[in-house]
Amino acid sequence: MAVDFSAMKAPRYNRFTPSSASASYVKRRNKSKNSVAELSLRRALWSRGLRYRLHVTNLPGKPDIVFKRDRVAVFIDGDFWHGRNWAQLEKKLLSRANPEYWIPKIRYNRNRDNEQTLALEEAGWIVVRLWETDILRNVEDPLEIIVEALRKKAE
């Protein structure tokens, strides 16, 4: 049974104080579109002759890259915002500034990601979720994951 996270709200930062001006600046500068990782992956896909759509708004989660004909949706998840290595990150957040905001915020994001993935899969889509640092470290490995998903869909 899927939980409907659309009715839940992400925590708001209104009553918290940033840990520092530089931390606040860095968090505000994180992009939801056209990040370095996304641009790198898009260039690699394009050089392979693969054509796609960007940020399709009528799909759950507004995937970063969409292959409509093949029904493959690709999300590029930021390590911090989407809780990579969540058990470790959660422990670290407990000793940092504003854990009562960050922990529920990232939990909400992770739950929302799962709900959107499930909705797409139930609609017949293959969902590929990639971590930004994996793309930045070596774009070829994430590229091959997408190529394999496209190959599976073609079979």
Side-chain angles (χ1 to χ4, degrees):
M1 180 179 155
V3 177
D4 181 15
F5 290 97
S6 61
M8 297 173 66
K9 292 191 177 193
R12 298 289 174 224
Y13 199 75
N14 303 354
R15 62 184 172 87
F16 297 102
T17 305
S19 59
S20 70
S22 61
S24 182
Y25 175 77
V26 167
K27 294 281 188 285
R28 277 196 319 271
R29 301 273 305 160
N30 279 273
K31 295 180 171 187
S32 62
K33 292 181 183 178
N34 302 319
S35 67
V36 173
E38 184 180 330
L39 293 174
S40 174
L41 183 60
R42 284 170 27 192
R43 274 192 295 275
L45 290 165
W46 194 264
S47 71
R48 286 263 187 112
L50 298 170
R51 302 301 181 249
Y52 46 83
R53 296 280 170 241
L54 299 175
H55 314 289
V56 176
T57 57
N58 64 345
L59 290 175
K62 198 166 78 171
D64 298 303
I65 298 170
V66 175
F67 298 91
K68 277 190 166 186
R69 185 189 62 197
D70 298 306
R71 296 178 70 82
V72 173
V74 179
F75 292 89
I76 300 165
D77 293 336
D79 293 22
F80 177 78
W81 297 101
H82 296 269
R84 185 175 195 171
N85 302 321
W86 178 237
Q88 294 168 307
L89 179 58
E90 187 176 23
K91 285 179 190 173
K92 287 180 184 177
L93 289 172
L94 284 169
S95 63
R96 291 185 185 171
N98 303 314
E100 58 279 2
Y101 170 77
W102 287 113
I103 291 171
K105 168 67 175 157
I106 296 170
R107 277 187 187 146
Y108 172 84
N109 290 349
R110 290 169 55 83
N111 290 334
R112 184 195 60 214
D113 292 345
N114 291 335
E115 184 72 17
Q116 292 165 346
T117 296
L118 183 62
L120 283 163
E121 288 172 344
E122 286 175 351
W125 287 77
I126 290 178
V127 177
V128 176
R129 295 199 88 93
L130 302 169
W131 294 108
E132 69 177 342
T133 53
D134 290 343
I135 295 167
L136 294 172
R137 193 174 299 124
N138 176 10
V139 74
E140 288 302 314
D141 293 339
L143 177 62
E144 287 307 316
I145 292 169
I146 295 170
V147 169
E148 184 59 32
L150 292 167
R151 198 173 295 131
K152 278 183 187 176
K153 202 62 176 184
E155 292 174 352

